[in-house]
Amino acid sequence: MLFTCAPKFRLPSSSLLVFRRYHHVPGTSEVSAWMPEAAGFGGVRDRSGLQDFSVGRAESFWAAAARHRLSWIRPFRTVQDCDFSRGHITWFGGGRLNVSVNCLDRHVQNSPERVALIWERDEPGSEVKVTYRQLLEMTCRLGNLLRRRGVKRGGCVTIYMPPCPLAVAAMLACARIGAAHNVVFAGFSAEALAERIRDAQSSTVITVNQGVRGGKVIELKKTVDTAVQSCPSVQQVLVAMRTENPVVMTARDVAMEEEMLLEDTVCEPAAMDSEDTLFLLYTSGSTGKPKGLVHTQAGYLLYASLTHRYVFDYHDGDVFGCVADIGWITGHSYSVYGPLANGATTVLFESTPVYPDPGRYWEMVQRLQINQFYGAPTAIRLLLKYGDQWVHKYDRSSLKTLGSVGEPINTEAWEWYHRVVGGGRCPVVDTWWQTETGGICIAPRPSEPEAEIIPGMAMRPFFGIKPALMDSEGKELTSNNTSGALCIAQPWPGMARTIFNDHQRFIDTYCRPYPGYFFTGDGAYRSEEGYYQITGRLDDVINVSGHRIGTAEIEDVLNQCPAVAESAAIGYSHDIKGQGVYAFVVLKTSVDIQEGALSQQLKNMVAKGIAKYACPDCIQIVQRLPKTRSGKIMRRVLRKVVECDLDGLGDLSTLDDPAAVQEAIKGHCDLCRKEQVQ
Ligand code: PRX
C-alpha cells in the first residue's frame, strides 16, 4: 500500500519520548589527551568546558584546530571575518593550502601502503582496495590530464559518477589543480544534470560508461550524451570504464583511463587561498531552481575532519563505512574529505541495502571489519521490516559507533539499530546537518563521559556551534522545553559561503529571515535538559529517503504536461521513505483523459525531469486547489488532508472556496479505499 490513512511513522512528541539512557564510557577524561588541539586551552577541564570554550572563544578554538589538523603552505593571518547581514563569511584569511595534499601526500609520507579506499562494488566479495600511494598516483595523473586538457584553476568540472576510486580521484584532482568540482548524483536525469552543468558553466564532464547497482546496469554515458546536447559550455567528456561494455565515443569524448596512463605520476599542487572554492553542490530549495552551494577550502576541510574524528570517535586504523552516495554532501564530507583528511580507510559503497539480500550491510561489516557505520534511517526502517535474522547471520563485533543522517530517525528504528545491529554495545549518533552546514552540527557526540543519548534525538551542538530557536516574531527563545525555527547564532568554518552566481539568494534564504543568525530551514525542539530534536522542514522542501526535493521543482515538471493547468506537490509521512510525494493536479477544462494513464505519464515526466526518487507516489486529480483569497495554494491544508488529520485542518477562514477542501478530502478517501481494496 502506498499510503495509509493513519500514518504509522511520526516523530515522537516530547511527551512520547522514551527517556531510556544509553551510557557510553570513552577512554579518558583528560581533555588534552583526548583532543590534542585543546592542550593550549588553559582552564578547560572537561568536555563540557571545551564546548563552552569552542563557542565563547571561537577564534582561539578554531585557530588551534586549524594549525593542528591542517598542513598549510602559508599560515593564515586572521581566523575569521564574518558578517551574517551581508552573508560575508571568511575563515583563515591569508592562509594557503592544498586540500589534496592534506588528504593524500601527508599520509603517503607516513604510511604509503595504508588502505585509503575500499571500493565495495555491487557484487559482494569483489571489493577493491586502494592505498594512499595509489590514490595519490591516480589523482596526480588525472590532475595532469585535466591541466593538459585546459582545465584551469578557478574552472569547474562536473562529475557524474557512482561511488568509485576514480570519482574520488576526480574530486581530489580538481582540488589539486585548483578547479572546483560539481558532483551530480548519478541518479539524476539528463535534464537535471544539464541544468546543473549549465548553471556551473562546466566545460568538462567526467563520467563512466555504465554504472552497476543492485545487479542492474545503468547507462550513465548515454545520460551525459543527452544532457550535454543542451550544454554549449561543454567541450569534453572524460569517460572511465566501469564495465567492459563499449559505448559510442564522439570527438568530444576522451578515454580517461587510457589517457591517464600517459600522464606523469607527479602533479604540482596549486597553492589555494583558504577561501577559494573547493566545490559546488546543488541542492533543492523552495523555488524550482536548485541552488549551487559553494564550499571553500580550509574551513570546510577542517570542519569535515574534526567532526569525523569526534562525532564518530574515529581512531587511527579504523575502517569507516559511510554508505551515502558521493553525489550528496554526506558522501563528500564523510566518504571522502573527512576520512581522507584524517588518514582513515574509508568505504565507497556502490550497491543497495538489499542487494543481493537484506543482509548486505552486515555481511559487508563482517567482511571489511567496519568500525563506524554511517547510514540513513530510510534504509534502517526498510531492513527492520525484513527481520533480525539478516543481522544475526553476520559478526558485527568490529562495530564501535553507528551513525544516522538525512532525516529524523523514529524511535523504533533507533532502538532496532542500537539493540539488534549494535548488539546494545555501540552508541547511535543521530547526526543533524545539511548541505549548507558542510558537516555535522548537532549530534550526541562529542560529550562528557557517561553522557546520555536519547533515542531519536540529535542531542548536542558540535564544538563551535551555537544553536538558537526563534519564535514566529523573530525573537530568540531562550528557555528550554520549547520549539522554534532552528538557527545557528555564530559562524563556523564548515558553512557554505554563497550560492553560486546568486549571492542575493544566499542572503535572502539564510541570513535575512532572522537577522544576525543563519537560518537552517528546519524546526527543532529543545528539551528540558537542553537537548535538540529536529522536527522537520519549515519550508516547501520534502525529504524523500533522506534526499531533498523542493515542491516547486516537482510542480514545475507536472505543469509542463499539456493536460495540466496547475498542481500542488506536498510531502506526507511514509513508513519507509520518511516522506513520500503526493501531488494534486488540476486539468485544463478541455482535456478528456484517462486518469490512470495520465498519472503514469506525470510520474514518468518527473523521473525524466528530475530523478526517480522525486516521483509522486500518488496523483490525485481535482477540479481546483484550495487557495487563499490572494491566490496562494494552502499546502498546509492539503498536507492535513493527505495525512487524514481532519481535526488538524486549522483556520480555514482565509480560504477562497471551501468546497475545494471538501473535494480534496473526498477524492483522497476514494483513493485510499481503492488502495486498500487492491
Ligand atoms: O531537514 C533536515 C534533514 O535533511 C536536511 C538536509 O538535507 P541535505 O542538505 O540533503 O543533507 C542531508 C545530509 C546531511 C535538513 O535540513 N536532516 C538531516 N539530518 C537530519 C535531518 N532531519 C532530522 N534529523 C537528522 N539527523
Side-chain angles (χ1 to χ4, degrees), residues 427-442:
V428 171
V429 290
D430 172 11
T431 61
W432 174 86
W433 59 296
Q434 319 175 291
T435 307
E436 290 84 343
T437 69
I440 294 162
C441 285
I442 304 183

Side-chain angles (χ1 to χ4, degrees), residues 465-604:
I465 298 294
K466 191 176 175 197
L469 298 182
M470 316 301 286
D471 70 11
S472 51
E473 253 104 70
K475 280 207 220 64
E476 185 171 344
L477 296 156
T478 49
S479 59
N480 284 351
N481 192 14
T482 188
S483 297
L486 177 63
C487 289
I488 302 181
Q490 65 187 40
W492 67 103
M495 67 188 296
R497 304 301 196 250
T498 187
I499 291 173
F500 187 64
N501 267 340
D502 200 350
H503 191 61
Q504 193 56 47
R505 187 173 176 196
F506 182 82
I507 296 173
D508 293 345
T509 311
Y510 306 110
C511 304
R512 192 155 280 166
Y514 300 95
Y517 297 80
F518 177 87
F519 175 47
T520 66
D522 279 319
Y525 164 73
R526 186 168 53 225
S527 73
E528 203 60 73
E529 299 105 321
Y531 300 142
Y532 289 87
Q533 178 175 41
I534 311 305
T535 50
R537 299 287 309 187
L538 299 174
D539 53 11
D540 290 325
V541 171
I542 308 177
N543 193 327
V544 182
S545 305
H547 304 326
R548 263 159 80 160
I549 184 73
T551 53
E553 275 172 88
I554 300 171
E555 289 160 13
D556 275 1
V557 175
L558 296 174
N559 296 347
Q560 279 165 26
C561 175
V564 171
E566 60 176 342
S567 61
I570 56 149
Y572 70 99
S573 301
H574 187 287
D575 271 2
I576 302 289
K577 298 194 283 189
Q579 280 192 299
V581 180
Y582 192 107
F584 292 86
V585 292
V586 178
L587 301 183
K588 290 182 183 150
T589 41
S590 54
V591 174
D592 176 22
I593 211 145
Q594 209 237 328
E595 275 194 23
L598 178 69
S599 270
Q600 199 48 54
Q601 184 192 345
L602 292 172
K603 287 179 191 177
N604 293 345

Side-chain angles (χ1 to χ4, degrees), residues 120-132:
E120 173 68 1
R121 302 195 321 160
D122 196 45
E123 221 39 64
S126 68
E127 74 272 12
V128 173
K129 293 184 176 161
V130 179
T131 65
Y132 272 94

Side-chain angles (χ1 to χ4, degrees), residues 216-227:
K216 295 196 193 86
V217 168
I218 306 153
E219 299 292 347
L220 296 182
K221 164 71 164 57
K222 280 194 188 148
T223 307
V224 172
D225 287 344
T226 311

Side-chain angles (χ1 to χ4, degrees), residues 224-299:
V224 172
D225 287 344
T226 311
V228 298
Q229 280 171 13
S230 59
C231 300
S233 63
V234 174
Q235 287 160 7
Q236 54 190 348
V237 177
L238 275 56
V239 185
M241 297 296 283
R242 166 61 185 87
T243 66
E244 281 166 11
N245 304 328
V247 281
V248 177
M249 298 286 275
T250 67
R252 183 203 56 207
D253 301 329
V254 178
M256 185 165 103
E257 289 131 306
E258 281 172 31
E259 294 220 0
M260 277 170 71
L261 285 177
L262 307 175
E263 297 294 338
D264 204 294
T265 54
V266 177
C267 175
E268 182 62 24
M272 303 303 289
D273 288 334
S274 297
E275 283 300 333
D276 283 335
T277 299
L278 177 62
F279 65 85
L280 316 184
L281 188 57
Y282 283 82
T283 189
S284 297
S286 34
T287 73
K289 190 173 159 6
K291 35 193 181 183
L293 286 157
V294 173
H295 283 281
T296 56
Q297 314 267 331

